[in-house]
Structures are given as structure tokens and as C-alpha cells.
Amino acid sequence: MRVMRCLARLQSKSCDGSLVSHLPPSAFRSSSQLSSSHGPGFAKLNRRDGAGGWSPLDSNKYQWLEINLGERTEITAIATQGRYGSSDWVTGYQLMFSDTGHNWRQYRQEDSIGVFSGNTNADSVVPFKLHQPMFARFLRVVPLDWNPNGRIGLRLEAYGCQYKSDVMEFDGSSSVLYRFSPNSSQAPKDKLSLKFKTLLNSGTLIRMEETHGPSLTVELVKGKLLFHLRKGKHPSPDFHASVSLGSLLYDQHWHSVTIERISRHLNLTVDKSTQQLPIPGHLSLSDISEISFGGVSGPSASRTLSEKNFVGCMENVLYNDVNIVNLAKEGRLVSMTGAVSFTCSEPVDVPVTFSSPGSFLQLPLSMPSDELSISLEFRTWNKAGLLLTFDLQQRAGSTWLYLSDARARLQIHKAGRILIDITAGSGLNDGQWHMVHLSGRRGRLAIAVDGEDGGTAQAHPSFPVIPENQLFFGGCPGEGKVSHGGDHGCRNPFSVFQGCMRLIHTGDEEVDLIKVQQMSLGNFSDLQMDICGIIDR
């Protein structure tokens, strides 16, 4: 009881309800379970059902316990226990959260590593108040360390409250225009706040304009938010001032934006980063008369850097406490262009993170024998790293597709001789998603980077370029990691890849990376599955 009173003091008065104890067993999932009595549905705090908690089949760093809260929820605290009456408990763990059950994001305390201290015995409750709340439908606990004299064992509770979410979705041809009468009293403050999520790296989010004065445009350009303050409405490339905030913001996770005018300054905030932009004396933003969300049209459209409207979702759009989404639903003070919906579709994105020198992904060959087609998307900050390698049939040589000086390079070696050496693309270490496609048919071999825009390179080998049986991505198995019956035939004379990959295709089929995670397809080591762990440097 003393622990629970301590936990209650840690939590806020308005958002501290129990979120897990009332959930049905179907709301719990796990990577595995030791037995039916050790299943994830038994992982409720202070309960003794089944074997007294969840334990996975194997105690290793690939295990996880997942909870479906049923709807997007504000999570403010968590508490953990070990498995009742046992020597099984978790001493350190990570928290992951998601809206879809895919494309997880790691919770970090003040941008630190994000490792939480767990338990020292099976039955004591260890509470933890989150510095910043999480907003998510799905919560996942990933054990990192456990009692060396036992197994992973876990019971838990999460605390929080229902989260009010008003959303609107834009398809790239739609926008919402909010027109209103400026505040004649010229209040010293004006505030606009919202959250957004998208999978595209560019698009215009916001345009704030005065009737005859300056304008402020907020654009997503290559994953960064740019705030442009312009002098007037006439078409001109001249910016009076601009600020860039954030990076890699097109990850299909929610990011918060706040614009606050305080006297002669603009406070601009993206997630936890804030910059101040002074408003010159001859300009004023106190008489804003219209705000456009999702894009701009007419002459203004040509004055954006992204040259695109926004594709994605916005949530809880508030201007001086006026709920713009509700106005749009009711058709008051708002005009809409194109198809604006009031739900947020969730495209499934399953990335994997190569985080260590031992990371690799091994996949069986799956394509016609007379045609080569392998493609993937990747993002990295490094100039060098192996993307893909495989041996050729009939001992025709070994193939490597790798990054060299931030370019995609393809080499085929045999007996120490370089038979093929071609290069395409440039600047591929900028943290952005890039696509590379390796294709070959009838004496023609080609690599293409980012479609038609990124460059292509071709070769005409005198031998068939057909993989033998296995494809290796990111690296090779090390000693003791030989897989699938004998010599894995993987050699990497280049740097290991560190970054993320997604949308891997062999032949015409996309690889199901969830099956890889479930150990039913291929083989892997030291990968973070269903998450892109790359962060802004």
C-alpha cells in the first residue's frame, strides 16, 4: 500500500487512472510464452493468475510484451513487478509505443538512451513517472536485462487517461482555410498549435496571412520544418527571415508544432526544440486574418520551397483555443478544398534498424531464375556500408552492393579480379530515405537510385548474374552464426551498414519483415525489428 500511495503522489491528479488491469486477455500479445500459464494475459500488476506473470520461451533481447489499450491514450506512468513467487524478474527495459502496432518508436527520457530500471525481486512494485507523457494506442515493453539466476518475468500496470484526438487528413490536393476577423484589441499573444504525421518528406503545412501585410509559411522540406516570414503578399523570392527546426520528421509518428507571437517575437517550437524569430518593427503579425492548413493555392502556391501540398494527418489544431477541426466538421468559418477526411489512415511501415557491427538480415532467394530484381529503401548518416551481397550460381563470382563515399556501388568479384564495377547516386548519407534497385536480364545489369531522379548505371556482363540461394543485407553472420545448414557463403570486405531499411523486394514480392521477426522466414541478428532507430545527429 505504501508503494501505491507513493505512485499516486507521483502521478498527476487528472491523468492517473489504471489502464491495464481492466483489459481482456486478447489485449495482450508477446513475442513468445514459456507455457500457456505464462502467457501475456497474466502480466497484470499484483495478480497471481496462471503462473503469476508473463515469461517468454527464451530469455533474450528479442522478447517483448505488448498491450493494446484500445484507443489513443495519454500514458503518464508505468509500474513493474516480477513473476509472482519466482526468481524471474526484469532489471532493465525499454518502452516502445505505436498507433498501429507497427513502426514502433522508443520512448526517451529527455532524449537520453531511454533504459528504465526494473525490479530487484519478484514482488516489489517499481513505479516510474514519465517526464513527458506518451500518446499511443499500443505499448510495448522490451526487456534488456533480467535476474541472472532466473528468467524474464513481468507483471505491469500503466497509468494515464483518455486522450482527446480531433484529426483531419490531407491527400495532397486538399486544404482547409480558416478566415476570421482580426482581434481589434491586438492581444499581446497569439498561439497556434497542432500535431502532424506523414510519410512524405516535403509539403506545405501552414500559411498565416494578414489582409495587406506579411505572411508566415510553415513547410516540410526534406524532413525539416522551415518557417518563412515574408514581407508581403506580392510574388517574390525574397524571405525576410526563416528558421529551420527538427529533422527526419516524416516517420509516420506524431510531431508537435507551436507558433506563439509574444509582442515583437515569434516563439517557434517543434517537439522539444524552440527558436525565437524577431518580427521587424515595420512588420506586424497581430492582424492575422486567415490561416491555410494542408497547402496553398493560387499565386501563393508558387512561393513555397516544397512546391507540394501536405499529405498526412493533423491533430488537435488550435488557434487561440479555437478548435479548427471542429469548425471544419461543422462547416463554420472554414472553407475546404479537395477531399479532407476526419479520420487518419495508418499505412503500415515496417522498418528494421541495423545498429551494431554484428547486424545482418539473411533471406532465401525468391525470384525467377532468369531475371534478377532486388530493391530496398535505406537511410543512414554514414558514407560507407554494405547494403547487399550474394554469391552467383555456377561459382561465377560474388556480388556486393554497398555505399562508398555516399554513392551506391556494385561490384562483382571472382578469384580476386573485379569483373563489374559501376556506381550511381550521390549524397546518400543525408539521413533521408533512398531507394536502390538492382536488376538484370539478358546480358544487362543495372542499378537505379531514387528512380529517375537519382541516377542509374549499367553493365553488360558476359555471364549470368543469378544469386545462388541466399541474400544477405547489411552484413554477414559472424563466427558461431552459420545458418541454414552449413557454409553461409557471405563475406563482407567493406564497412558494415548502420541505419534503417524497409520495403525490401525480391522479384515482384515484398519481403514480409514481420515473418522475419517471428523467425518463420530467413535469419537475422542484432536487428531492431519494426522500428527505425536512426535519430538526428
Side-chain angles (χ1 to χ4, degrees):
M1 290 298 295
R2 183 168 58 189
V3 171
M4 300 310 295
R5 287 196 296 269
C6 174
L7 182 61
R9 287 195 297 269
L10 283 173
Q11 298 161 350
S12 65
K13 295 181 180 179
S14 60
C15 194
D16 61 357
S18 297
L19 302 175
V20 174
S21 59
H22 68 281
L23 293 174
S26 59
F28 297 78
R29 293 177 63 238
S30 63
S31 51
S32 65
Q33 59 189 47
L34 183 60
S35 72
S36 59
S37 61
H38 293 78
F42 298 117
K44 295 182 178 181
L45 200 72
N46 291 320
R47 298 283 285 273
R48 303 180 182 182
D49 309 7
W54 168 68
S55 285
L57 181 62
D58 298 306
S59 291
N60 58 41
K61 58 186 176 182
Y62 298 119
Q63 307 300 326
W64 45 264
L65 174 69
E66 178 183 314
I67 301 168
N68 182 352
L69 299 173
E71 60 184 354
R72 260 189 104 208
T73 304
E74 181 175 352
I75 305 165
T76 59
I78 190 167
T80 60
Q81 277 178 308
R83 191 169 63 80
Y84 173 72
S86 73
S87 57
D88 303 340
W89 59 84
V90 173
T91 60
Y93 60 94
Q94 290 178 332
L95 286 179
M96 303 285 184
F97 61 99
S98 168
D99 285 344
T100 63
H102 291 294
N103 189 27
W104 294 87
R105 190 175 185 185
Q106 183 181 343
Y107 180 85
R108 298 175 183 270
Q109 294 277 94
E110 301 298 331
D111 293 325
S112 64
I113 297 301
V115 178
F116 295 82
S117 296
N119 300 82
T120 56
N121 57 50
D123 296 308
S124 296
V125 177
V126 177
F128 201 98
K129 169 71 174 178
L130 303 182
H131 294 174
Q132 298 290 333
M134 283 188 290
F135 301 94
R137 177 180 174 180
F138 293 88
L139 177 66
R140 182 175 280 190
V141 178
V142 180
L144 299 178
D145 296 292
W146 46 91
N147 178 21
N149 297 316
R151 310 176 61 91
I152 292 174
L154 188 63
R155 290 175 285 171
L156 63 82
E157 180 62 89
Y159 302 88
C161 57
Q162 184 178 6
Y163 176 64
K164 179 174 172 55
S165 174
D166 294 312
V167 299
M168 51 187 177
E169 183 172 17
F170 303 86
D171 65 0
S173 61
S174 53
S175 62
V176 170
L177 180 62
Y178 173 47
R179 286 194 178 97
F180 55 97
S181 298
N183 187 348
S184 58
S185 63
Q186 293 192 0
K189 290 186 179 182
D190 280 302
K191 185 176 180 179
L192 172 66
S193 63
L194 58 85
K195 292 183 178 181
F196 76 92
K197 68 175 359 179
T198 180
L199 277 174
L200 300 185
N201 69 352
S202 297
T204 300
L205 272 76
I206 306 167
R207 174 66 166 249
M208 306 175 69
E209 292 192 273
E210 295 182 15
T211 305
H212 301 292
S215 63
L216 178 70
T217 304
V218 184
E219 299 178 71
L220 190 65
V221 179
K222 292 188 175 181
K224 298 181 179 182
L225 271 190
L226 302 184
F227 298 78
H228 305 306
L229 180 61
R230 294 180 181 271
K231 292 181 179 180
K233 293 176 72 68
H234 63 278
S236 167
D238 178 40
F239 296 111
H240 188 90
S242 68
V243 165
S244 172
L245 279 170
S247 180
L248 310 182
L249 299 176
Y250 62 114
D251 54 4
Q252 196 61 11
H253 292 293
W254 290 107
H255 297 280
S256 61
V257 180
T258 303
I259 303 169
E260 189 170 18
R261 181 188 64 83
I262 304 176
S263 186
R264 302 301 305 178
H265 291 86
L266 288 175
N267 280 354
L268 309 172
T269 303
V270 176
D271 295 332
K272 299 177 184 179
S273 300
T274 300
Q275 286 197 35
Q276 194 173 77
L277 182 64
I279 303 173
H282 65 284
L283 297 180
S284 172
L285 277 178
S286 60
D287 297 319
I288 291 293
S289 59
E290 65 180 45
I291 308 176
S292 178
F293 301 92
V296 292
S297 58
S300 298
S302 62
R303 292 157 52 200
T304 63
L305 291 179
S306 65
E307 298 181 349
K308 299 176 182 177
N309 282 6
F310 176 70
V311 178
C313 303
M314 295 187 192
E315 178 188 63
N316 295 347
V317 183
L318 302 175
Y319 179 66
N320 290 341
D321 297 324
V322 175
N323 189 319
I324 307 299
V325 180
N326 282 348
L327 291 183
K329 289 179 180 178
E330 298 166 3
R332 296 191 297 116
L333 300 176
V334 165
S335 60
M336 292 185 286
T337 302
V340 178
S341 64
F342 299 103
T343 58
C344 184
S345 61
E346 298 283 2
V348 174
D349 182 22
V350 184
V352 294
T353 305
F354 296 75
S355 56
S356 78
S359 299
F360 74 91
L361 170 62
Q362 178 182 354
L363 296 174
L365 185 63
S366 176
M367 69 186 73
S369 59
D370 61 341
E371 184 173 341
L372 173 67
S373 179
I374 305 171
S375 65
L376 60 92
E377 292 188 6
F378 69 90
R379 70 192 313 179
T380 183
W381 294 115
N382 297 343
K383 291 184 176 182
L386 178 70
L387 296 175
L388 167 69
T389 183
F390 54 85
D391 284 343
L392 300 180
Q393 290 183 3
Q394 301 174 358
R395 298 185 178 181
S398 298
T399 301
W400 289 279
L401 177 63
Y402 63 103
L403 294 178
S404 175
D405 197 24
R407 306 184 72 192
R409 188 168 186 175
L410 177 70
Q411 287 189 342
I412 298 180
H413 292 212
K414 182 178 182 182
R417 292 190 307 117
I418 299 177
L419 306 181
I420 299 291
D421 190 352
I422 54 177
T423 305
S426 62
L428 302 180
N429 64 327
D430 57 1
Q432 306 292 306
W433 283 109
H434 296 283
M435 187 274 288
V436 60
H437 183 204
L438 171 62
S439 61
R441 189 177 185 185
R442 297 177 181 173
R444 176 183 172 273
L445 185 66
I447 52 172
V449 176
D450 294 334
E452 297 178 356
D453 299 331
T456 60
Q458 296 185 17
H460 299 277
S462 58
F463 51 90
V465 181
I466 302 173
E468 188 170 30
N469 51 19
Q470 299 288 331
L471 307 174
F472 296 88
F473 297 83
C476 292
E479 292 297 324
K481 296 181 180 178
V482 176
S483 57
H484 298 299
D487 182 15
H488 50 70
C490 181
R491 295 168 297 284
N492 180 17
F494 310 106
S495 301
V496 296
F497 175 76
Q498 289 185 303
C500 304
M501 292 186 189
R502 69 180 184 187
L503 299 178
I504 299 173
H505 287 77
T506 61
D508 295 329
E509 296 184 1
E510 181 178 345
V511 175
D512 188 340
L513 293 173
I514 297 302
K515 288 186 177 180
V516 176
Q517 183 185 30
Q518 295 169 344
M519 309 289 187
S520 62
L521 175 67
N523 186 33
F524 70 92
S525 180
D526 289 339
L527 294 186
Q528 290 179 287
M529 304 295 296
D530 211 357
I531 179 175
C532 181
I534 184 174
I535 59 175
D536 184 3
R537 283 186 170 175

